[in-house]
Amino acid sequence: QEKLDMSMYPVESIRNFSIIAHVDHGKSTLADRLLEITGTIAKTDRNKQVLDKLQVERERGITVKAQSASLFYSHEGVNYLLNLIDTPGHVDFSYEVSRSLSACQGVILVVDANEGIQAQTVANFYLAFEAQLAIIPVINKIDLKNADPERVEKQIEKLFDIPIDECVRISAKQGTNVEKVLQKVIEKIPPPHCNTADPLKALVFDSTFDHYRGVIANIALFGGEIQKGHKIVSAHTKKRYEVNEVGILTPNEQPTHKLYAGQVGYLIAGMKEVTEAQIGDTLFLYKQPVEPLPGFKSAKPMVFAVMNPADQTEYNNLKSALERLTLNDSSVTVHRDSSLALGAGWRLGFLGLLHMEVFNQRLEQEYNMSVILTAPTVPYKAILSSAKLIKEYGKAEITIINPAQFPDKLSVSEYLEPTVFGTIVTPHEYIGKIIALCQDRRAVQKDMLYIDEHRVMLKYLFPLNEIVVDFYDALKSLSSGYASFDYEDAGYQAADLIKMDILLNGSPVEELATIIHNDKAYATGKFLPRTSLILSYLKYGLIIVYVILFYRLKAYRKNVVAKCYGGDITRRMKLLKRQAEGKKLMRKIGNVEVPRDAFIRVLKRQTDK
C-alpha cells in the first residue's frame, strides 16, 4: 500500500473537530455525508454508520466508541486536512466524549430540528465550552414533516447564548447544506497551536487491541514529528519502544511516511501488554523528555456488578477476554471477587447501566463468552469511629462496593451515599408526573427553567442508587418517550443506610445482601422474598426467611390431603399430623442447600418495583 506524504499539510491548514449531540440526533449520519463529500468513501446507499464498527453499535443504532477519520478537502484553492472524531451521545459514554475533545480545537453541535435541545445536548455543550473549543451549532433533520428549525434556533440562543444567524440548517440524510458545514469548520475552528520544530509530544487519546500487531494507539501530535524507526518513551510507564508503523485513519488505516505536529493518526510500536497504552499518556522521543500533557480525569465507575463465568472451567478464557476488552474500554474497573455460591469472578465498575449491557454484549459477540452478571449496586462510603477498624483499614473513610463488607453501625460515625446532578428536559404537560417520580426517588429539586413555551428543563439532586436500575425506563413511560435525562457526579452526602440481610433457614446469605436506605427497607424487604425466593420454596420443604422486623414467609407445602375425596375425617387428620411431624424434624436437622442456578435467578432480580 502506497504511503501518504503528510508534509503537504502544514499546521495552518489542519482542523481537528468533533461531532457532539444527544443520542439519535444524527451524528453518525452527518459523519457519513462528510466522508462522502470529501471523497474519503465512495457514495453508495450502503453508507450507514460507517464509523460505527462494532456489531453492538450497528444492532442498537448507537455510537459506543468514539471513532476518528482524516478528510482531505479543498476550499478556495487551499488543501485542508480535517480530522473528524464521531462521539457517542448517551450519558454513560460522556467519558469517550471528553477524551475526544482533548484532541480537538472545535466541535459541531448537532440538534434535532424535530426534538430540539435535549439533556445530553446541554451536557455536551458544557463539556466543549469548558474546554474552550469553537462551537458550530447545526440543526439536523430539517426534511422531517414536523421539523421546526426556528423554534430550535431560539432554544440555542436562549440556553447557549449563540446568535441565531450562526446556526446551520441541514439534512444529513439527504445531504442538504452539508457542504456549508465543512466551510464553517474551516472558517470558525482555529488550527492547532503547535510547531513541527518542537520536540515530539504526542497524546494517546484512544487505543484498540489487534491480535497480530498488539496495541494500536490513536495519537494527537502537539509538537514535533514521528516516523517508523523512532525510539519513543511513555511518560506514564517510562518504557521504551521502537515505532513500527504510523498512519492516519480514512477511516481504515492508511500508513504514512511521517506524522507532523497538529495531525491525528495511529501508531504501532510493539506494545504487547494491555496496560501499556494508558489513555491520556504522553509519548516523547528517547533522550528528548518533555513536560507531560495534562491527560484526563480518570473515569469514575457509577455502578458495580459481579461477573462470573457460566462454567468455572472457562475462568481463564474469561480473564483473557476481560483484559483485552478493558484495553478497548479503559473506563471499566476490575477487582477480583469470589463467593461460595457463584465461585471465582470479578467485581466490575461501569459508568452506567447501558455501559454494563453493552460491555456484556461485546463479551458475548467478540469473545464468545457466556457470563453471569448480578444486579447492579453503587459504591457507598463510611466514616469509621472505631479505632480498631481505622487501624485495620489505615484510614477513617472507606469505600464499600461489596455489601458483605458493610461495617456495623456501632463502629461508624456516618454513612455516605453517592449523588448525581440530574437534568431532565420534558414537554410541559408531563411536569406533574415527573416531579412525583423524582420525589418518590428521594430527589431534591434545584432548578426549573422553561426553554420555550412547550419545553421545561428540570434540575434535581438524586441519590445514585435511586436512578441506577429503572429510573430512565420509568421516566420514558411517564412522558410517552418524550423526556430526556442526563446526569453528572455530585459527590457524596450523609444518609441513613442499613444492610439488608436475607436469611435462609436462619443463616445469612452473603450473595443476597444489599445496602438500602432505611426509609425504603421495609417495602423492599417485603417485596424481595415474595418474588425472588419463590423458586426456592418450590424445591424445598421448609425455608424460613426473616427480613426487617422478622418478616416471615410461610413455606410452600405439599397438599397431602388432595387425594382424600370425602370419607372419614380421621384419615385427613392422620395425613396432616404426619406432615407436621416431618416438618418439625426438618426444623431440627434440615439444612437448606440452594443450587447455583437458583442464586443466579435471584441475583438477576429487578430490585425496585
Side-chain angles (χ1 to χ4, degrees), residues 440-466:
D440 183 52
R441 301 303 177 100
R442 300 191 289 122
V444 180
Q445 190 173 331
K446 294 292 182 187
D447 193 14
M448 182 172 167
L449 173 72
Y450 273 81
I451 299 171
D452 58 26
E453 59 269 25
H454 301 296
R455 300 184 76 78
V456 185
M457 183 164 74
L458 301 163
K459 295 211 169 194
Y460 275 91
L461 183 68
F462 286 95
L464 179 60
N465 71 330
E466 294 289 346

Side-chain angles (χ1 to χ4, degrees), residues 252-289:
N252 299 319
E253 289 162 12
Q254 173 79 39
T256 62
H257 292 291
K258 288 184 180 183
L259 282 178
Y260 298 89
Q263 296 174 1
V264 173
Y266 72 89
L267 161 105
I268 300 171
M271 297 179 186
K272 292 284 182 274
E273 284 295 311
V274 291
T275 51
E276 289 178 64
Q278 190 72 29
I279 305 297
D281 194 4
T282 303
L283 304 176
F284 56 85
L285 287 177
Y286 179 56
K287 292 189 176 171
Q288 288 186 30

Side-chain angles (χ1 to χ4, degrees), residues 214-402:
V215 178
I216 301 169
N218 286 19
I219 56 169
L221 267 69
F222 285 84
E225 56 186 54
I226 192 166
Q227 67 182 56
K228 183 179 176 179
H230 271 175
K231 301 271 195 307
I232 57 167
V233 180
S234 155
H236 178 74
T237 62
K238 304 290 186 284
K239 286 188 180 177
R240 198 167 67 185
Y241 305 97
E242 184 174 333
V243 179
N244 299 331
E245 187 184 316
V246 293
I248 57 169
L249 296 158
T250 63
N252 299 319
E253 289 162 12
Q254 173 79 39
T256 62
H257 292 291
K258 288 184 180 183
L259 282 178
Y260 298 89
Q263 296 174 1
V264 173
Y266 72 89
L267 161 105
I268 300 171
M271 297 179 186
K272 292 284 182 274
E273 284 295 311
V274 291
T275 51
E276 289 178 64
Q278 190 72 29
I279 305 297
D281 194 4
T282 303
L283 304 176
F284 56 85
L285 287 177
Y286 179 56
K287 292 189 176 171
Q288 288 186 30
V290 293
E291 184 71 29
L293 292 155
F296 314 105
K297 284 187 284 188
S298 57
K300 276 175 104 173
M302 291 292 206
V303 295
F304 288 86
V306 175
M307 181 179 279
N308 297 83
D311 182 353
Q312 279 294 318
T313 57
E314 289 288 307
Y315 179 85
N316 287 331
N317 293 342
L318 180 57
K319 183 182 177 185
S320 171
L322 276 175
E323 282 176 356
R324 286 179 179 173
L325 192 50
T326 47
L327 170 70
N328 293 346
D329 190 350
S330 60
S331 50
V332 178
T333 61
V334 183
H335 300 281
R336 289 280 299 277
D337 192 273
S338 65
S339 70
L340 290 171
L342 300 172
W346 296 267
R347 188 169 289 272
L348 305 179
F350 300 97
L351 301 178
L353 222 56
L354 178 68
H355 185 205
M356 184 171 96
E357 285 175 28
V358 165
F359 188 86
N360 193 17
Q361 198 171 332
R362 285 185 70 185
L363 267 180
E364 288 176 8
Q365 289 174 348
E366 295 172 33
Y367 297 93
N368 202 23
M369 284 286 120
S370 178
V371 299
I372 301 151
L373 205 60
T374 64
T377 59
V378 302
Y380 296 96
K381 287 187 177 180
I383 310 291
L384 302 174
S385 58
S386 158
K388 185 182 175 185
L389 277 178
I390 292 171
K391 189 177 179 183
E392 186 183 321
Y393 286 104
K395 52 188 175 182
E397 185 179 284
I398 59 165
T399 303
I400 307 147
I401 58 172
N402 185 348

Side-chain angles (χ1 to χ4, degrees), residues 10-18 80-84 101-108 128 131-136 181-194 221-222 261-264:
V11 174
E12 306 80 61
S13 59
I14 296 172
R15 302 290 184 272
N16 299 326
F17 68 99
S18 241
Y80 288 91
L81 171 63
L82 311 177
N83 293 311
L84 150 72
L101 297 186
S102 66
C104 298
Q105 283 75 47
V107 295
I108 296 173
Q132 298 181 330
L133 304 181
I135 297 168
I136 300 168
V181 175
L182 282 173
Q183 292 162 10
K184 283 269 189 184
V185 165
I186 290 166
E187 291 163 15
K188 294 274 182 189
I189 296 175
H193 302 293
C194 52
L221 267 69
F222 285 84
Q263 296 174 1
V264 173

Side-chain angles (χ1 to χ4, degrees), residues 380 406 415 417 441-442 463 465-466 493-500 514-525 548:
Y380 296 96
F406 194 72
Y415 296 114
E417 68 177 346
R441 301 303 177 100
R442 300 191 289 122
N465 71 330
E466 294 289 346
Q493 69 177 18
D496 184 11
L497 303 173
I498 59 167
K499 178 183 173 186
M500 186 172 81
T514 51
I515 300 168
I516 197 161
H517 195 273
N518 208 355
D519 295 348
K520 299 218 165 182
Y522 186 77
T524 308
I548 325 275

